[in-house]
Amino acid sequence: MELTTVWFILIAVLWVGYFVLEGFDYGVGTLLPVLGRDETDAGTDTGAVRHTGETRRRQMLSSIGPFWDGNEVWLLTAGGATFAAFPHWYATLFSGFYLPLLLILVALIVRGIGLEYRGKVDSRTWRARMDAMIVVGSFLPALLWGVAFTNIVVGVPIDQDMEYVGGFFNLLNPLALLGGLVTLTLFVTHGALFVALKTDGRLRHDARALGLKVGVVSAALAVVWLGLVHARTGGLVSWVAAALAAVALVGALLMAWRGREGWAFAGTFGAIALATVSLFLALFPDVMPSSLDPAWSLTVENASSSQKTLGIMTVVAVIFTPIVLLYQSWTYWTFRKRISGHHIPTDVHPAAATEETRAALAGER
């Protein structure tokens, strides 16, 4: 197998890892004002407890607290690998998609600030502002990644000099906007099921019920979107992957309906992974098709680095990839317990409460 093909596969794996892991983070952040409301929770061992919206929001944020920043590393690695392995792809992509990628970057910065600084000031107004930053910073990437990847797969105006010659509004075509709605609803479903898996009490049941409702909408949109995309660029193998993604999503919804949060989350995990794989299968051997002339498309051959560069990168990847995977797996194993309302102290500063919650979860292994 050519090294160019190997690195196309590795970049696809990095994007799969990013979407299946950071996808539930985006979903949780987007759902913060929806699930983070006042409820009376009678489903804990300590009896009926009045859980304020703040308690529910802190449960939700504590569920992703140990993971979200590590999950973003997949994006950084995917970008870095693209820059090193396929510099022409990177240059065309980041110049042509400059504005949407800038919006995603700003959203990620805003989201990170909200997550890190939410508990630094003991003020309801301060926390409300940070919550708004988390919601916006989660909503925009979840929407814009679908728009971006749809355009990458179906093709954009690229001339003979490998330069994008369209405008911003070329990217906002109906199919791309549908792709944005698919990734948004799919990530929200993924995030809701993650909350159901990681929390207890009334929040757990509310998240599972909401995930089931949004998942039905997501499934309908995804079938239409994947059908249209693969009808234009797909082949037999990509169609099979897309069909398996649909089966996984339907299975996830069935498991959510039966109250099996673990299997439901595994289903959305598989659906997102398989859908992403289907897009890369439909794209290969192109990396950015030209809608003006197929001869001007960027491929794994004309957009790649030298064989020496790819060889050095392969050695580095073989050494360090298993280390990163082992470390991240250990993190998920360490913080695998559910978060109940009684894990959220009410008599301490929110920042200290977050650390105390993490310590309690790690100690309950």
Side-chain angles (χ1 to χ4, degrees), residues 35-355:
L35 293 174
R37 60 185 184 277
D38 291 350
E39 290 289 350
T40 299
D41 183 0
T44 65
D45 295 335
T46 57
V49 179
R50 181 65 174 176
H51 285 170
T52 65
E54 173 61 18
T55 300
R56 290 167 66 98
R57 287 189 289 273
R58 278 160 59 181
Q59 276 184 267
M60 294 173 66
L61 294 177
S62 294
S63 71
I64 63 172
F67 312 124
W68 70 269
D69 47 357
N71 294 341
E72 286 189 350
V73 173
W74 289 82
L75 174 62
L76 299 176
T77 308
T82 303
F83 172 77
F86 300 101
H88 296 297
W89 182 13
Y90 182 93
T92 303
L93 176 63
F94 277 77
S95 60
F97 289 45
Y98 181 83
L99 185 55
L101 292 177
L102 177 62
L103 289 174
I104 291 174
L105 176 61
V106 172
L108 293 179
I109 294 172
V110 167
R111 175 173 170 266
I113 293 173
L115 289 168
E116 290 289 346
Y117 287 90
R118 185 181 190 275
K120 301 301 183 182
V121 177
D122 190 8
S123 164
R124 179 176 298 180
T125 302
W126 173 267
R127 290 193 293 272
R129 290 172 179 171
M130 295 298 106
D131 288 346
M133 294 170 68
I134 294 171
V135 173
V136 173
S138 301
F139 175 88
L140 280 179
L143 177 70
L144 292 176
W145 280 127
V147 174
F149 263 83
T150 303
N151 281 297
I152 290 173
V153 175
V154 301
V156 291
I158 298 175
D159 65 13
Q160 66 271 27
D161 297 321
M162 298 185 179
E163 293 182 1
Y164 176 77
V165 293
F168 173 71
F169 291 101
N170 288 95
L171 304 177
L172 301 180
N173 56 80
L175 182 57
L177 293 175
L178 176 60
L181 291 177
V182 169
T183 53
L184 175 62
T185 54
L186 191 53
F187 289 165
V188 167
T189 303
H190 197 39
L193 294 178
F194 181 77
V195 172
L197 179 65
K198 288 291 294 177
T199 62
D200 209 346
R202 182 64 179 273
L203 177 57
R204 170 186 178 182
H205 299 291
D206 288 349
R208 186 176 67 238
L210 182 60
L212 184 57
K213 293 176 183 177
V214 179
V216 172
V217 176
S218 179
L221 294 174
V223 168
V224 176
W225 174 62
L226 287 173
L228 293 173
V229 169
H230 289 283
R232 293 179 61 172
T233 64
L236 176 61
V237 179
S238 68
W239 271 107
V240 171
L244 291 175
V247 171
L249 184 54
V250 171
L253 298 179
L254 179 61
M255 291 296 102
W257 179 69
R258 297 182 60 182
R260 304 289 297 274
E261 291 101 346
W263 285 108
F265 180 74
T268 53
F269 189 102
I272 294 172
L274 287 166
T276 307
V277 168
S278 76
L279 295 179
F280 276 92
L281 287 172
L283 183 61
F284 186 82
D286 294 334
V287 292
M288 282 193 75
S290 172
S291 60
L292 301 178
D293 187 336
W296 297 341
S297 298
L298 277 69
T299 68
V300 292
E301 296 298 333
N302 64 22
S304 68
S305 294
S306 67
Q307 290 295 305
K308 182 176 182 180
T309 300
L310 295 177
I312 295 172
M313 290 174 59
T314 302
V315 173
V316 174
V318 168
I319 295 173
F320 288 100
T321 300
I323 297 174
V324 174
L325 292 176
L326 285 172
Y327 171 76
Q328 194 156 27
S329 299
W330 173 82
T331 302
Y332 277 89
W333 177 257
T334 300
F335 296 99
R336 66 188 183 276
K337 294 295 184 179
R338 290 184 181 272
I339 302 172
S340 299
H342 65 269
H343 287 132
I344 308 296
T346 59
D347 57 347
V348 296
H349 192 277
T354 301
E355 296 300 323

